[in-house]
Amino acid sequence: MPLLQNTRPLFLLTGHFARLVGKSRMKHKVMPPAVTGAPEFDRTFRAQQNCVEFYPAFLTVLWITGCFFNQEIAAILGLLYVFARYKYFHGYVQSVKGRLTGFYLNLIVLACLGILGAVGIVNSFLDEYLHFRIMKKLSKLI
């Protein structure tokens, strides 16, 4: 269950972004179900949608890394991801190019989580089925 608790900041951030889209709708008088309007609204809406589109991939690699590699490292990378998404969203609302720093940081975090998750799965497989304990061998080397 601790792994699910690590996703709380992500859900709070999602609610924050949805609230900002609602405020932008009111400010620019874009009534639902319309999804286009003033350029600022379009950027706000697109930033929120992009964040929602990335959540399944993020949650998958976060949970795999936490289960098979290390929960603490997964939690730290998860918080870094939340920070990067915040930076991405607010940068995108300001300008299209403003999103790039947050976007690249997101990609780096997702790649790290994916690699660490894969390492954890391979390690678990080798340990369980081939009785090859990489961590013991590494600790002897160090």
Side-chain angles (χ1 to χ4, degrees):
M1 218 27 94
L3 204 52
L4 287 176
Q5 293 171 353
N6 293 339
T7 60
R8 284 183 188 157
L10 182 66
F11 296 124
L12 293 173
L13 191 67
T14 304
H16 172 68
F17 292 162
R19 194 176 111 258
L20 292 177
V21 169
K23 280 184 164 183
S24 187
R25 274 189 186 280
M26 300 288 271
K27 178 181 177 182
H28 299 290
K29 297 178 174 66
V30 179
M31 293 298 122
V35 294
T36 58
E40 183 184 339
F41 170 76
D42 291 345
R43 288 192 310 269
T44 305
F45 182 78
R46 190 63 228 145
Q48 189 259 350
Q49 286 299 304
N50 190 280
C51 290
V52 169
E53 290 164 2
F54 267 80
Y55 289 155
F58 166 69
L59 289 176
T60 301
V61 294
L62 176 73
W63 289 343
I64 288 172
T65 301
C67 289
F68 290 99
F69 189 77
N70 183 292
Q71 283 192 12
E72 289 80 14
I73 291 173
I76 290 167
L77 288 171
L79 288 174
L80 185 58
Y81 179 86
V82 169
F83 168 75
R85 271 291 147 186
Y86 182 86
K87 189 160 183 57
Y88 168 83
F89 183 90
H90 288 286
Y92 202 172
V93 169
Q94 297 301 315
S95 71
V96 174
K97 288 188 179 188
R99 77 189 196 286
L100 294 177
T101 303
F103 183 72
Y104 292 138
L105 184 55
N106 279 306
L107 291 180
I108 291 168
V109 170
L110 286 174
C112 289
L113 285 168
I115 290 166
L116 294 176
V119 166
I121 289 172
V122 168
N123 182 50
S124 294
F125 174 81
L126 291 174
D127 186 26
E128 181 71 24
Y129 296 107
L130 302 177
H131 305 293
F132 183 76
R133 290 171 177 78
I134 294 174
M135 297 314 267
K136 280 188 178 180
K137 297 208 183 279
L138 287 175
S139 64
K140 286 181 183 178
L141 292 173
I142 297 173

